[in-house]
Amino acid sequence: SDLLKHPQSHFINVRSMEILKAEVPGVYKGIVDEMPNVEEWEGFNFGGSVLSSSRFSSSASSSSGVTAGGLRGSRRLGRVIHPVREPLKVGQSGDAILVPHNETIIESNLNAKHDNADIVSTCRPAHLAQNKFVSLLLDEARRRLDELHKDDANKGNGNLALEDSISDEYLRYDEEVTHISESKDFPSQQPIIVIETSKGKTYHTRYLVAADGVHSPTRKHYHIPMNGEASIQDLINVHFRTNEALSKLLIGNSTTNPTSPKSLNERNGENHQAMLHFIYNSKLVGVFVCHDGKNGDWVLQIPFFPPFQTMDDFTEEKVRGMIWAGLGIHPTNDNIASTINSNDEYRFDILSLRPWTMSSLVAQKYVNDSNTVVLAGDAAHAFPPAGGFG
């Protein structure tokens, strides 16, 4: 399923983590165990490239024949740090702290005046790619279904082992709703909702929670309009994976201990790690999302402008050149669009290119006229990433 391939969203807020910890502790633990070290994602960087320097803008040559930071505008423009290493305390601001250029930052700025205050929550926000989060939820659903079936078996109501065919009957994953209708052929005070799926199955229900995305077929079936701005910005999402050598170069001063007492100034120096890299240079204006720097999982978001541009304008060769330019690495002959061959030290693979439209929409109502269907998630409201935090 595509849900298990493309990273998509990645930030999980404190309230969501609290719910997960209380209701599905296995998923909560999985998130904490699998997410990257916090120093990889506590900051946002702004500059000419991912490898922009806050102290110099000269090129650093590599024996592999590439240069780092050699593009015009490759200087670091700014960096912000978010207070996510420890749970927030009462009275402490959750806003990011702007790191002044070339100035020493004292770590206590993050917790000044709040050392003795109570914590707001036992949880911290998390950073984990949505496809990994979905995988954890799917594993938890299967585990719970297995437990329920074993309980029935112990009571003499079934077999001890949960067969895949039985699991598929109860856990309907990777199955798309293709048609919704209402039937009054059943003796009840309200119509029965009839659901047909891509696997040829038909289901009948009195109530339906529709969490079928921003393009919700369910919402459209019940003619519920969306209010707001349907197209704030069109972007191309490029999912790519870096090899080990390039990953090490990009994440810079990494540590295996996410609670290391390294000072904020040390973390700001030549540390290139950040959740988001806002890049501005002559070859690229875009945003790199570092989903997992250690394992090389990245997404580049490139603005494009239909109808003046289409996806056909963004060939893999062109996008590859934009990635090299945004990372701050390119062949020494400045032909940044050329493909680095397998003998070179730094490499990446493009896994997917797909368009995405940023919108800000809210359904005119969250329930249908008969109060039997409830919209949830993106089907009810679609927010830009900056306002999502969920």
Side-chain angles (χ1 to χ4, degrees), residues 154-321:
N154 292 335
K155 296 175 184 177
N157 297 326
N159 297 322
L160 188 60
L162 180 64
E163 300 293 338
D164 287 341
S165 59
I166 298 175
S167 174
D168 290 342
E169 284 297 315
Y170 289 91
L171 181 59
R172 292 179 280 273
Y173 176 75
D174 200 19
E175 184 173 355
E176 182 181 0
V177 174
T178 57
H179 188 261
I180 296 175
S181 60
E182 292 185 354
S183 172
K184 296 184 179 180
D185 296 336
F186 296 85
S188 66
Q189 295 180 347
Q190 61 191 38
I192 295 295
I193 301 169
V194 182
I195 301 169
E196 299 174 28
T197 77
S198 57
K199 293 187 177 180
K201 302 287 183 68
T202 300
Y203 304 99
H204 300 86
T205 181
R206 295 183 187 276
Y207 300 97
L208 175 66
V209 176
D212 50 350
V214 66
H215 302 294
S216 173
T218 307
R219 188 188 64 240
K220 293 176 181 177
H221 173 79
Y222 287 100
H223 305 291
I224 301 175
M226 296 285 271
N227 297 328
E229 193 168 349
S231 180
I232 297 175
Q233 174 73 67
D234 290 288
L235 303 114
I236 295 174
N237 274 6
V238 185
H239 182 203
F240 67 97
R241 185 163 293 129
T242 57
N243 71 339
E244 183 177 358
L246 184 52
S247 297
K248 288 181 178 179
L249 177 69
L250 293 176
I251 64 175
N253 302 326
S254 180
T255 176
T256 56
N257 181 6
T259 59
S260 168
K262 188 185 296 182
S263 74
L264 184 59
N265 188 57
E266 287 178 294
R267 283 185 267 143
N268 179 48
E270 290 313 306
N271 183 353
H272 304 298
Q273 298 176 86
M275 179 194 293
L276 301 179
H277 297 263
F278 295 85
I279 303 304
Y280 312 90
N281 66 47
S282 59
K283 304 293 184 180
L284 172 71
V285 173
V287 180
F288 285 90
V289 183
C290 182
H291 286 282
D292 188 342
K294 182 178 180 182
N295 293 309
D297 208 13
W298 292 74
V299 165
L300 169 60
Q301 296 184 344
I302 307 170
F304 80 115
F305 303 92
F308 306 104
Q309 292 178 305
T310 69
M311 283 293 293
D312 293 338
D313 294 318
F314 294 85
T315 63
E316 182 169 326
E317 181 182 23
K318 178 177 180 178
V319 170
R320 184 173 290 275

Side-chain angles (χ1 to χ4, degrees), residues 62-64 66-68 243-249 324 329 340-341 343-348:
S62 165
S63 60
S64 64
V66 300
T67 59
N243 71 339
E244 183 177 358
L246 184 52
S247 297
K248 288 181 178 179
L249 177 69
W324 284 126
I329 303 173
I340 289 186
N341 63 50
N343 295 323
D344 289 318
E345 181 179 359
Y346 302 127
R347 298 188 305 277
F348 63 82

Side-chain angles (χ1 to χ4, degrees), residues 321-338:
M322 296 172 83
I323 292 174
W324 284 126
L327 295 180
I329 303 173
H330 56 83
T332 52
N333 63 5
D334 286 331
N335 180 19
I336 64 170
S338 66

Side-chain angles (χ1 to χ4, degrees), residues 14-200:
V14 172
R15 183 55 183 151
S16 295
M17 290 295 285
E18 289 174 339
I19 294 171
L20 291 167
K21 185 176 182 179
E23 301 297 332
V24 276
V27 174
Y28 172 85
K29 183 178 185 302
I31 292 171
V32 173
D33 291 344
E34 288 194 25
M35 72 177 181
N37 292 336
V38 68
E39 66 178 21
E40 279 192 34
W41 56 273
E42 66 184 348
F44 291 178
N45 286 349
F46 303 80
S49 71
V50 171
L51 292 177
S52 292
S53 169
S54 60
R55 287 186 284 189
F56 57 86
S57 58
S58 60
S59 298
S61 297
S62 165
S63 60
S64 64
V66 300
T67 59
L71 289 174
R72 288 186 180 275
S74 63
R75 191 175 183 82
R76 174 79 57 79
L77 301 176
R79 177 173 170 83
V80 295
I81 298 287
H82 300 81
V84 293
R85 290 200 161 218
E86 301 293 339
L88 283 177
K89 296 180 179 180
V90 175
Q92 179 185 358
S93 172
D95 294 338
I97 296 175
L98 176 64
V99 179
H101 186 61
N102 286 337
E103 290 185 22
T104 300
I105 306 301
I106 302 174
E107 180 74 15
S108 60
N109 284 351
L110 289 172
N111 296 299
K113 302 179 182 178
H114 306 291
D115 290 341
N116 298 322
D118 294 331
I119 59 174
V120 174
S121 171
T122 59
C123 297
R124 295 183 295 122
H127 169 59
L128 187 71
Q130 183 174 325
N131 57 327
K132 296 180 180 180
F133 182 35
V134 169
S135 182
L136 290 172
L137 290 172
L138 185 59
D139 289 343
E140 177 69 11
R142 287 171 173 156
R143 185 191 67 79
R144 291 197 175 197
L145 183 57
D146 194 23
E147 286 184 353
L148 288 173
H149 191 70
K150 287 180 178 179
D151 287 342
D152 283 345
N154 292 335
K155 296 175 184 177
N157 297 326
N159 297 322
L160 188 60
L162 180 64
E163 300 293 338
D164 287 341
S165 59
I166 298 175
S167 174
D168 290 342
E169 284 297 315
Y170 289 91
L171 181 59
R172 292 179 280 273
Y173 176 75
D174 200 19
E175 184 173 355
E176 182 181 0
V177 174
T178 57
H179 188 261
I180 296 175
S181 60
E182 292 185 354
S183 172
K184 296 184 179 180
D185 296 336
F186 296 85
S188 66
Q189 295 180 347
Q190 61 191 38
I192 295 295
I193 301 169
V194 182
I195 301 169
E196 299 174 28
T197 77
S198 57
K199 293 187 177 180

